[in-house]
């Protein structure tokens, strides 16, 4: 639907900027933007088709009513949902919860109480599995160490955005499609 497409476009614009500056990670945030959270997007009817080498970003809502209420009190803002992102490629899925880790989409679905709200297919990557492993090792030893983790300012969503930017689709560019 048009509403689902516009929600997907907004999330792509907010979460996956079109241009990464080199391969450097974005600086760790130190403050939050003004205002509360946006409402979560409606769950998509069916995810887009994906091939084995496509970079796939999944956006889940792991915010329970209790968690959202607690986060609202802590941040003094309305928190309506809590996104959890993963990146998949070639049958492998990653996220970051204090360490770069492989995960299984079904585990995240179980924690979220259902399938992802959105599945974004960024297209096929040119990197080999070995190059991806080296990239993940580098990210896990520099910008995404246990010491760098912060619930608000350096979490799975920041990691997945950075990883998606570093897995360029064929034809160059990297990150979200135009």
């Amino acid at each position: 639907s048009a509403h689902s497409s516009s929600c997907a476009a907004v999330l792509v614009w907010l979460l996956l900027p079109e241009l990464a500056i080199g391969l450097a990670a974005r600086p760790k945030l130190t403050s939050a933007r003004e205002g509360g959270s946006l409402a979560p997007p409606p769950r998509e009817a069916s995810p887009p088709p994906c091939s084995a080498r496509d970079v796939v970003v999944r956006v889940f809502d792991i915010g329970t009513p209790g968690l959202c209420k607690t986060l609202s009190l802590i941040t003094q803002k309305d928190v309506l949902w809590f996104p959890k992102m993963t990146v998949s490629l070639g049958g492998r899925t990653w996220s970051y919860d204090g360490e770069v880790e492989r995960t299984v989409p079904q585990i995240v679905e179980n924690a979220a109480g259902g399938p992802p709200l959105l599945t974004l297919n960024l297209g096929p990557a040119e990197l080999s599995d070995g190059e991806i492993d080296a990239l993940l090792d580098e990210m896990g030893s520099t910008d995404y160490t246990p010491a760098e983790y912060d619930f608000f300012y350096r979490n799975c969503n920041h990691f997945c955005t950075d990883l998606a930017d570093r897995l360029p689709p064929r034809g160059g560019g990297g990150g979200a499609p135009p």
Side-chain angles (χ1 to χ4, degrees), residues 32-113:
R33 65 174 174 75
E34 293 295 318
S37 70
L38 301 172
R43 192 172 312 277
E44 62 192 355
S46 60
C50 301
S51 72
R53 297 304 298 173
D54 286 349
V55 177
V56 178
V57 176
R58 291 182 178 87
V59 180
F60 298 86
D61 179 4
I62 59 169
T64 63
L67 175 62
C68 290
K69 182 176 180 179
T70 300
L71 291 174
S72 293
L73 290 171
I74 291 170
T75 62
Q76 298 181 353
K77 300 177 180 194
D78 286 334
V79 176
L80 305 176
W81 69 304
F82 194 78
K84 164 82 174 171
M85 292 172 60
T86 64
V87 174
S88 299
L89 188 141
R92 302 186 303 162
T93 300
W94 302 274
S95 195
Y96 170 73
D97 291 311
E99 64 183 8
V100 175
E101 60 187 2
R102 280 200 52 193
T103 189
V104 178
Q106 292 77 10
I107 291 173
V108 182
E109 284 186 19
N110 187 50

Side-chain angles (χ1 to χ4, degrees), residues 2 9 18 23 28 33 41-42 47-48 52 54-55 57 75 83 88 100 102 128 144-145 159 161 165 170 178:
E18 289 185 40
L23 288 182
K28 185 174 181 178
R33 65 174 174 75
D54 286 349
V55 177
V57 176
T75 62
S88 299
V100 175
R102 280 200 52 193
S128 69
Y144 293 94
T145 65
F159 167 77
T161 299
D165 279 342
R170 294 192 192 282

Side-chain angles (χ1 to χ4, degrees), residues 27-28 96 98 142-151 153-155:
K28 185 174 181 178
Y96 170 73
T142 56
D143 298 307
Y144 293 94
T145 65
E148 282 295 310
Y149 182 81
D150 184 282
F151 187 79
Y153 302 125
R154 181 67 107 204
N155 59 39

